[in-house]
Amino acid sequence: MSHTVEQFFDNLWNDYIKLTPSAAKVHQVLGQGRSIINDHVAFRTFNLAPVRLETLAKHFETMGYKACGDYAFEAKKLVAKHFEHSDPTLPKIFISELLVEEFSPELQRIVKSLVAQIDADEVAKPEFLYSGAHWQISSTDYEQLLEESEYAAWMAAFGFRANHFTVNVNELPDYESLEQVNETLKQAGFRLNTSGGEIKGSREVFLEQSSTMADHTAVRFSDMEKVVPSCFYEFAKRYEVAPNQLYTGFVAASADKIFESTNARADASAEQDGSA
């Protein structure tokens, strides 16, 4: 692993745990001081120049990643791709982008005004991927986005950074199953995403996933400060598609539910149900 790739992921992780302090606690609980292998890191963006998925992907292609799978999320109006490195110890990359033109004129106006504030030269730097928001936005516009797309609102608040890291459960010592991981997390006080069940996917689709609900953090909007959901931590257990060959792709139906981990409304309803 070259120093640049290693340094990139270190910087990305350091930015992520500032918004997701619970992730450091997850490491303590599950890792017990040992290193944890990441299955994948996910990023969000808009399908507008200069920040289209393909443009962000170039950073990873430069690091030796190759595109491996395409996904569509019709209800959320997203598309995504995942990328893999020839070094299997490096995390897979999952990049999704919002299909802005499929939303109301109001959402399109707000999102285009955000993207217009980005310096295209900045996008060409690898550090752009953990540079945060490049714009000013009011809390009113944030709430307006939230009405239509939780994804767009999250992007408006946090910009360009890892939306989540993912623990590779296959490489976790002491754990045989995702159920065991979830039970340990719940006993330690973590709230799990219950949308579509605590475990999304199954052995039959070769991938099981679960996640914490996002941490909350104060965001400074142009008119006020507001506490909103930030990032979450995911857990993935993969199964063999052939002897000694684990499935390396993603399951769109499961990923669709994982997106709910940053949904403040899902968070609130889970709290009311007592099911969180």
Side-chain angles (χ1 to χ4, degrees):
M1 191 193 303
S2 77
H3 175 69
T4 44
V5 180
E6 195 167 28
Q7 193 60 56
F8 171 83
F9 283 109
D10 282 349
N11 293 343
L12 192 68
W13 172 261
N14 290 334
D15 175 72
Y16 166 75
I17 55 172
K18 281 183 207 155
L19 291 179
T20 325
S22 67
K25 294 181 194 150
V26 167
H27 266 219
Q28 291 162 6
V29 170
L30 296 181
Q32 300 287 319
R34 291 168 292 195
S35 64
I36 279 181
I37 307 295
N38 279 301
D39 178 85
H40 69 272
V41 186
F43 296 85
R44 295 179 175 186
T45 193
F46 300 117
N47 70 335
L48 298 173
V51 292
R52 291 178 184 278
L53 189 163
E54 264 74 17
T55 308
L56 301 191
K58 284 176 186 160
H59 292 299
F60 295 104
E61 287 161 351
T62 300
M63 294 180 210
Y65 278 85
K66 289 189 167 56
C68 290
D70 293 274
Y71 311 89
F73 303 91
E74 288 177 17
K76 289 186 171 60
K77 302 173 182 174
L78 305 168
V79 293
K81 282 181 183 282
H82 98 264
F83 302 81
E84 296 177 29
H85 199 278
S86 55
D87 177 351
T89 66
L90 285 173
K92 288 170 274 295
I93 300 297
F94 187 90
I95 309 176
S96 55
E97 67 180 355
L98 195 71
L99 303 174
V100 178
E101 70 282 359
E102 294 191 10
F103 289 87
S104 73
E106 186 63 9
L107 181 141
Q108 292 185 50
R109 180 192 65 76
I110 296 170
V111 170
K112 284 174 181 173
S113 75
L114 300 182
V115 174
Q117 296 173 60
I118 299 170
D119 178 349
D121 291 341
E122 292 300 308
V123 184
K125 302 172 184 172
E127 53 268 31
F128 180 76
L129 292 163
Y130 47 85
S131 62
H134 289 247
W135 46 68
Q136 287 287 304
I137 182 171
S138 68
S139 61
T140 316
D141 279 354
Y142 169 83
E143 291 294 339
Q144 175 84 37
L145 294 177
L146 196 55
E147 285 298 314
E148 275 193 74
S149 168
E150 177 281 323
Y151 183 110
W154 187 91
M155 275 299 300
F158 297 104
F160 300 91
R161 49 178 28 120
N163 171 259
H164 63 272
F165 274 72
T166 308
V167 172
N168 180 337
V169 173
N170 298 72
E171 297 291 338
L172 264 187
D174 310 329
Y175 292 93
E176 293 296 313
S177 70
L178 189 52
E179 286 90 344
Q180 289 174 321
V181 170
N182 287 350
E183 203 48 49
T184 299
L185 292 167
K186 287 190 289 186
Q187 286 177 7
F190 291 95
R191 296 181 59 231
L192 299 183
N193 170 347
T194 57
S195 177
E198 276 182 9
I199 293 179
K200 298 90 169 84
S202 64
R203 184 185 288 267
E204 286 67 42
V205 293
F206 310 111
L207 175 63
E208 293 176 339
Q209 294 164 275
S210 66
S211 61
T212 61
M213 288 305 289
D215 283 15
H216 284 66
T217 193
V219 171
R220 166 55 63 190
F221 292 97
S222 60
D223 54 339
M224 65 181 284
E225 195 171 84
K226 193 176 178 68
V227 174
V228 299
S230 56
C231 306
F232 61 93
Y233 213 169
E234 190 187 322
F235 313 91
K237 166 92 173 169
R238 295 180 179 275
Y239 292 93
E240 290 184 342
V241 287
N244 302 314
Q245 187 189 337
L246 291 177
Y247 177 67
T248 59
F250 293 84
V251 177
S254 302
D256 189 70
K257 300 300 183 188
I258 292 287
F259 280 120
E260 296 295 323
S261 302
T262 54
N263 189 335
R265 291 186 173 88
D267 204 3
S269 64
E271 221 159 40
Q272 285 157 8
D273 295 345
S275 61

